[in-house]
Amino acid sequence: MVAGGEHNLGLADVTRYAAAMHDTASSALSAFDLAALLVVAAALLGWFNHHVVKLPHVIGLTVMGALTAIGLMIANAFIPAITVDDWVAETLQRLNFTETLLQGMLSFLLFAGALHVDLDRLKSAWLPVLLLSTLGVIVSTVLVGLAMWGVGMVLGLPVAPIWYFVFGALIAPTDPVSVLGVLKEEKVPHSLQSAVAGESLFNDGVGIVVFTILLGAALTGGDFSLAEGARLFAVEAGGGVLVGLVFGWIGYHALASMDEYTLEVLITLAIVMGGYALCSSLHISGPLAMAVAGLLIGNQGVTYAMSDVTRDYVIKFWELVDELLNSVLFLLIGLEMIALAAGADDLLFGLAAIPLTLVARAIAVTLSTKAIPAARLSDKGAGRVLWWGGLRGGISIALALSLPPGETRELILAATFATVLFSVLVQRATLGRLIEKLKDDHAPAVEDAPSTAVH
């Protein structure tokens, strides 16, 4: 942040700032209309993908959303009278992807994901998870920032150096939605599953905190103070963990005091919505709070505070929420391509970001899992799975869309979209093949034992 701590920005400030950048004119479409459009579009395109395209669900929705956006832009370029792309862009702008994801969907997605992670197995991998979600994020932020700064100098871009590190922060964390989705489909050993799932749950919260600190310095034009940044990081991250523990503890005792599944489902909803809203008002990390609360309810709560009937209803309810929001999220990722107005420099900058973020991820994984002997993952092939499975997704796009308008924002958007689309369409699509190849090579990291770390 800035020296003296005079311009502290929290996640809620960033999303409100992003909302202020959008047109506030009244619209005939209500919030319900927007939600209805998205759900109907996700259902129709999901049906079409299932019966015709036959891509994995979220990949298919992302591809069709992106193709729709690109098709509308091309049609408008050749036939100016066609203004559907303008209507779609205006609708998405009014929806405000950043606000929708970071202050709405993310709380439900993180809680639903954490609900299925085995806490005992996560404890056994606590050190690599801690290092991957903290040291790994910081190392990746610095390396990507330095590398993209070099690319900017080669291209002669008039961008202040701090903005390259802002991009490094928003692209550093892996996306828990994508990662946990893959873990449900692929069989990897318990220790590696714990490391991958734990990192994905916690490093997005860490990444958002680092992003808000660097963005505050970039927006105010002040000098970055490492000491002030560390203080804010400790307050936001520590406060998020504390709120998660408190709400998880309260929720556990409330669930244990009754056997009424409808009310107990409502209690889990209250934990998510109330806890995240409190974190936003206190300017502390809501994502970390939801990860901690989800772990407590999904382990202690499910095991000791619920009857079999309640357990079945709670788990199925949150699986349904997870699938619905996943479908809408990945459709939005594709459609948001329409917000990209990329020039030649933007495209070159974006293409350069793909290999550089992969290299930075490889170095961050290596340092986090091998620098300290106790943090080493003994499973053969673990490093490759962690590297190639470091998927980026909606969180990175939401943070990029929260940036103020201008040439710098267009550059960062281009790099973010390029990296995320490569991650979703290439890395996610081929991660299963990598795991299968490691199985063929008899790597113990991908043994065929049944998976229980994410249940």
Side-chain angles (χ1 to χ4, degrees):
M1 186 53 83
V2 254
E6 298 167 347
H7 304 283
N8 298 347
L9 289 177
L11 176 58
D13 298 305
V14 173
T15 53
R16 280 194 290 270
Y17 181 87
M21 294 296 103
H22 297 300
D23 181 17
T24 57
S26 61
S27 168
L29 289 176
S30 66
F32 178 82
D33 294 329
L34 291 171
L37 280 172
L38 285 174
V39 172
V40 169
L44 289 175
L45 291 176
W47 179 90
F48 181 79
N49 176 64
H50 179 79
H51 289 285
V52 180
V53 183
K54 299 186 184 299
L55 287 171
H57 181 59
V58 295
I59 295 176
L61 285 174
T62 306
V63 168
M64 286 186 285
L67 290 177
T68 300
I70 293 170
L72 290 173
M73 289 187 287
I74 292 174
N76 187 53
F78 285 98
I79 311 175
I82 296 178
T83 59
V84 178
D85 65 324
D86 293 332
W87 180 82
V88 172
E90 183 183 352
T91 301
L92 290 173
Q93 188 178 58
R94 198 171 295 120
L95 176 69
N96 192 350
F97 184 86
T98 303
E99 184 82 22
T100 300
L101 177 59
L102 296 184
Q103 294 298 334
M105 297 169 69
L106 186 58
S107 57
F108 296 95
L109 290 168
L110 283 172
F111 184 86
L115 208 61
H116 298 284
V117 175
D118 191 310
L119 186 57
D120 290 332
R121 298 193 186 281
L122 185 59
K123 288 177 183 176
S124 66
W126 73 271
L127 186 54
V129 167
L130 176 64
L131 293 176
L132 283 165
S133 57
T134 53
L135 176 65
V137 168
I138 294 170
V139 167
S140 183
T141 298
V142 172
L143 292 178
V144 171
L146 290 172
M148 298 308 290
W149 187 1
V151 172
M153 292 177 66
V154 170
L155 295 176
L157 301 176
V159 177
I162 186 66
W163 287 105
Y164 297 112
F165 294 94
V166 170
F167 170 70
L170 69 86
I171 209 67
T174 59
D175 185 66
V177 179
S178 298
V179 173
L180 293 172
V182 171
L183 290 183
K184 292 178 183 178
E185 301 167 5
E186 304 296 339
K187 294 179 180 179
V188 296
H190 304 147
S191 58
L192 183 56
Q193 278 204 26
S194 299
V196 175
E199 181 203 9
S200 69
L201 284 173
F202 290 105
N203 71 2
D204 63 302
V206 173
I208 290 172
V209 172
V210 174
F211 169 81
T212 56
I213 291 171
L214 290 172
L215 180 61
L219 291 176
T220 57
D223 296 328
F224 177 78
S225 168
L226 186 60
E228 180 64 12
R231 185 190 70 80
L232 289 171
F233 178 85
V235 170
E236 292 198 25
V241 171
L242 180 61
V243 168
L245 287 170
V246 170
F247 269 72
W249 182 84
I250 293 173
Y252 168 80
H253 285 280
L255 293 169
S257 68
M258 67 184 73
D259 184 15
E260 180 58 55
Y261 69 86
T262 54
L263 185 53
E264 291 180 75
V265 169
L266 182 61
I267 288 171
T268 62
L269 271 174
I271 292 170
V272 173
M273 301 178 75
Y276 206 88
L278 178 62
C279 288
S280 296
S281 65
L282 295 177
H283 303 296
I284 56 181
S285 179
L288 286 174
M290 290 305 99
V292 172
L295 285 171
L296 287 177
I297 298 300
N299 288 269
Q300 300 300 109
V302 166
T303 304
Y304 302 110
M306 298 180 191
S307 66
D308 292 339
V309 173
T310 297
R311 185 181 303 114
D312 185 54
Y313 272 94
V314 168
I315 295 299
K316 286 181 178 177
F317 170 80
W318 283 104
E319 284 179 350
L320 179 61
V321 169
D322 189 41
E323 289 299 323
L324 172 62
L325 295 183
N326 258 304
S327 299
V328 173
L329 173 59
F330 282 94
L331 174 61
L332 278 172
I333 289 175
L335 286 173
E336 283 290 349
M337 282 284 291
I338 210 164
L340 189 61
D345 285 344
D346 300 320
L347 291 174
L348 289 174
F349 191 76
L351 291 174
I354 297 172
L356 292 177
T357 53
L358 286 172
V359 171
R361 169 70 180 173
I363 295 172
V365 168
T366 301
L367 289 176
S368 300
T369 59
K370 294 185 178 180
I372 300 177
R376 291 178 182 173
L377 297 170
S378 58
D379 303 314
K380 183 181 178 183
R384 279 174 284 177
V385 174
L386 279 168
W387 166 61
W388 197 246
L391 308 175
R392 274 74 175 194
I395 292 172
S396 294
I397 290 179
L399 294 177
L401 288 169
S402 74
L403 300 176
E407 293 182 7
T408 299
R409 180 180 188 264
E410 297 305 320
L411 280 168
I412 292 178
L413 269 179
T416 304
F417 271 107
T419 306
V420 169
L421 289 177
F422 181 86
S423 179
V424 173
L425 303 182
V426 179
Q427 288 178 254
R428 196 182 198 282
T430 57
L431 182 58
R433 297 180 193 173
L434 171 63
I435 294 174
E436 289 298 325
K437 184 179 184 302
L438 291 172
K439 286 179 183 177
D440 293 338
D441 294 339
H442 305 290
V446 284
E447 61 192 7
D448 287 311
S451 170
T452 58
V454 178
H455 44 265

